[in-house]
Amino acid sequence: MAARKSVIVGMNGQPLMMANSAYDGASHGRRMGGVYAPGSGINTNLNYALTTLRNRSRAGHRNMPLLRSGIEKKVTNEIGIGITPRSKCENVDLRKTINALWDESCFQFDPEGNLDVYGMQAQISRARRISGECFIRARYRSSSADLLVPIQFQVLEADFVPLDFNDTLSNGNRIIAGIEFNRRGQRVAYHMYREHPGEMYNYQASLANLVRVPASEVAHHFNPLHPGQIRGEPDSAASLVKAQTFDSYDDAELVRKQTRAPFTGAIYRDALDANDADNWAFDPISGDPLGGESGFGNAKAEPGTIFELLDGEKIEMFKGDDTGQGYADFMRWQSLMQAAGMDMPYELLTGDWEKVNDRLVRAVLNEFRRRIQMDQWHLMIPQVMRWMRWHWLNRAVLAGRLNLPGYATKMRDYHQHTWCPHGWPYINPNIDVEAKINAIDADLVAHEDVVAENGDDLTDIQARNKVARDNRGERTPKQRQKDKDNE
């Protein structure tokens, strides 16, 4: 295949040289010459467009069914009923005490009192997917507050940190898009509005009235897709144009059908003969005179009516619901493009499972769940939940809600914990459970890890099962197997 030739043009518009490109994508011919591909840094490109992207993404979530479906199903699969922490410190009794206090106090984390920590997880995930990011601020409360642990966590929309606030401070720190960095490039503070700048009741949204919050008290939840990226990109950024055009087209098609539905057909008449002009002045069904200067009106008929037409008349019935050849295939392909733009399976986005069997369903869901696990373990758990639990445990000890001996020297041990995301339901329960049992028996996986995949804690399950068996006077499965072997 011949190499593509490109022309490099000087400032005066004259060609400087002819260059061959080994890559078609780097050619400057008619096909690729009009492609806009700036070489700007990610923050220059994103921060300039982020306000518009964010607002359009929010509008799409409010008004576009497929876009809303995609975001909500991602949130549902990422969070479920919650990602639960379980202490793993050496002392088993202290482990149980820490877990019990978390389970009781997590209902008090929301300053507004609307959600527990697991509902907040869903809210945080949704905000990241719609707006590209959100901020969580630790709010320390007085020990006299009516809280089990005197700390709460305030979830803030991305708008609280202004994109257009940039400055260089006298100490050498730089503020970029509302985030303050030291000379080493580390985040040291976030500059925030006191109230949401877009609310109608807000009177304090001014760049001259920002609050500087230390970075240690703020969790910035976003997906840094590129090295050096400092603000988040909405999940729907790549599919917004497709979603808007598709939604407008579908709505126009619906309106077209709606407006044509009242019209059944038309009676066509040949050119009028002056001698027969009186015959055309009456309704062919009722015989009533037709109104209007044109002499034409509407022929209304009851079901089962047979038309008796005059000479020169003919009826043509409308096809009001005819959407044309290939309409369904066209709509499916556009939905596939939207699904690709939102990085999720078409079947899950649309609910259309017609063309997949049980094996394909497993393959589709396994790929999607792997993607969701990335979001859980790369974003939600390290950026938000570990940070939240660190602040909570420190505050619980300082306020005397937990008595952890030698906490200052054994912090690493006391902060050991694992996270249990809400497990997905089995696709085929009998086969799936049997496969996990075989994997445990063959030492391919740990029993504890298999249970944790379903969002549960092995120690807790075993303790509750033992109590239930003791109450019923039953022996464990292993004991029963041993009895059988001894026989």
Side-chain angles (χ1 to χ4, degrees):
M1 179 178 178
R4 304 285 184 179
K5 291 185 177 181
S6 59
V7 181
I8 300 178
V9 181
M11 296 183 62
N12 59 359
Q14 298 299 317
L16 298 181
M17 60 179 292
M18 296 290 292
N20 293 330
S21 173
Y23 294 90
D24 290 347
S27 63
H28 294 274
R30 288 177 296 176
R31 294 174 63 192
M32 300 297 292
V35 175
Y36 178 67
S40 309
I42 178 60
N43 295 310
T44 299
N45 289 330
L46 179 59
N47 295 353
Y48 176 79
L50 187 52
T51 299
T52 302
L53 280 176
R54 185 189 298 157
N55 292 337
R56 288 177 178 174
S57 178
R58 290 170 178 169
H61 183 260
R62 290 192 299 265
N63 300 306
M64 298 180 188
L66 285 185
L67 196 149
R68 186 184 187 95
S69 171
I71 289 174
E72 291 302 321
K73 286 176 181 175
K74 280 187 172 182
V75 172
T76 299
N77 282 274
E78 180 182 354
I79 305 301
I81 62 174
I83 304 175
T84 309
R86 284 293 176 256
S87 174
K88 289 297 177 183
C89 67
E90 293 182 0
N91 190 308
V92 176
D93 292 333
L94 288 178
R95 185 187 302 179
K96 293 179 179 179
T97 301
I98 294 172
N99 288 338
L101 184 62
W102 171 273
D103 292 339
E104 294 177 12
S105 63
C106 68
F107 291 93
Q108 300 177 334
F109 284 1
D110 183 6
E112 298 179 9
N114 296 325
L115 302 168
D116 65 1
V117 69
Y118 306 113
M120 293 172 67
Q121 289 174 5
Q123 187 181 69
I124 292 167
S125 173
R126 185 178 295 106
R128 181 191 86 235
R129 296 187 181 283
I130 295 175
S131 303
E133 60 187 349
C134 75
F135 301 89
I136 304 94
R137 183 178 178 185
R139 307 308 296 258
Y140 301 111
R141 306 305 187 192
S142 170
S143 297
S144 60
D146 188 21
L147 297 170
L148 290 172
V149 177
I151 189 172
Q152 293 181 315
F153 300 94
Q154 183 181 14
V155 181
L156 302 172
E157 285 270 30
D159 312 73
F160 272 83
V161 178
L163 284 164
D164 55 349
F165 183 49
N166 304 281
D167 199 3
T168 300
L169 306 181
S170 59
N171 61 0
N173 288 0
R174 298 180 62 192
I175 302 175
I176 304 174
I179 304 174
E180 183 177 337
F181 298 85
N182 62 18
R183 295 184 179 182
R184 297 179 180 177
Q186 299 169 320
R187 300 181 180 221
V188 295
Y190 293 85
H191 295 259
M192 297 183 171
Y193 290 115
R194 295 179 182 272
E195 297 177 344
H196 193 291
E199 294 291 357
M200 58 185 296
Y201 55 77
N202 182 12
Y203 302 104
Q204 303 186 60
S206 168
L207 293 180
N209 193 28
L210 299 177
V211 177
R212 184 182 184 273
V213 183
S216 60
E217 299 179 11
V218 176
H220 183 193
H221 185 47
F222 75 113
N223 187 8
L225 296 169
H226 307 274
Q229 182 178 337
I230 64 174
R231 301 297 293 261
E233 175 187 299
D235 274 15
S236 58
S239 60
L240 275 175
V241 174
K242 182 72 67 176
Q244 174 62 40
T245 308
F246 175 87
D247 194 68
S248 299
Y249 168 76
D250 186 57
D251 187 62
E253 180 64 30
L254 184 64
V255 172
R256 184 186 71 83
K257 288 187 177 183
Q258 180 188 31
T259 54
R260 292 188 63 175
F263 301 98
T264 304
I267 297 177
Y268 290 88
R269 296 165 178 169
D270 295 333
L272 293 180
D273 189 314
N275 298 325
D276 297 330
D278 293 339
N279 294 332
W280 301 94
F282 300 91
D283 188 292
I285 305 300
S286 64
D288 296 331
L290 296 176
E293 296 179 357
S294 64
F296 289 90
N298 294 326
K300 298 180 180 180
E302 298 295 328
T305 300
I306 297 177
F307 287 88
E308 295 183 3
L309 302 179
L310 299 176
D311 293 338
E313 290 184 335
K314 61 181 179 178
I315 293 180
E316 181 172 332
M317 307 305 293
F318 294 149
K319 297 179 180 179
D321 60 346
D322 184 8
T323 52
Q325 293 290 332
Y327 175 76
D329 292 336
F330 172 77
M331 297 296 283
R332 187 176 189 277
W333 179 253
Q334 295 306 315
S335 299
L336 280 166
M337 292 297 98
Q338 285 196 60
M342 297 190 69
D343 197 14
M344 68 180 303
Y346 159 83
E347 292 79 10
L348 200 61
L349 176 67
T350 62
D352 178 15
W353 298 88
E354 180 182 1
K355 297 186 179 183
V356 294
N357 54 37
D358 57 343
R359 292 189 177 184
L360 288 176
V361 167
R362 187 183 294 272
V364 167
L365 291 182
N366 284 344
E367 181 68 19
F368 176 67
R369 288 172 177 178
R370 184 182 292 272
R371 180 67 179 85
I372 291 296
Q373 285 176 322
M374 287 178 57
D375 294 338
Q376 291 172 337
W377 292 98
H378 293 177
L379 302 176
M380 178 60 67
I381 291 174
Q383 289 183 353
V384 179
M385 298 314 302
R386 285 179 181 170
W387 170 87
M388 188 179 288
R389 185 172 172 85
W390 174 272
H391 279 275
W392 170 83
L393 190 57
N394 288 343
R395 195 65 174 167
V397 173
L398 290 174
R401 304 300 198 262
L402 283 174
N403 182 18
L404 304 181
Y407 182 73
T409 58
K410 298 174 64 178
M411 288 184 66
R412 175 170 294 183
D413 175 48
Y414 288 129
H415 279 277
Q416 288 293 326
H417 61 275
T418 187
W419 292 94
C420 302
H422 181 209
W424 288 290
Y426 296 119
I427 299 174
N428 190 323
N430 292 333
I431 296 176
D432 293 346
V433 172
E434 183 179 356
K436 290 185 176 182
I437 293 174
N438 292 336
I440 293 172
D441 292 341
D443 288 333
L444 297 177
V445 294
H447 193 176
E448 183 179 22
D449 294 338
V450 171
V451 173
E453 289 177 358
N454 293 328
D456 296 314
D457 181 76
L458 178 61
T459 304
D460 181 57
I461 288 178
Q462 290 176 333
R464 287 188 281 122
N465 287 342
K466 183 179 183 303
V467 171
R469 282 193 298 267
D470 291 343
N471 291 337
R472 295 192 301 264
E474 297 178 355
R475 296 172 65 79
T476 67
K478 288 187 177 181
Q479 289 173 334
R480 292 196 298 269
Q481 183 62 42
K482 186 176 181 180
D483 292 341
K484 185 177 181 180
D485 293 340
N486 291 336
E487 294 176 358

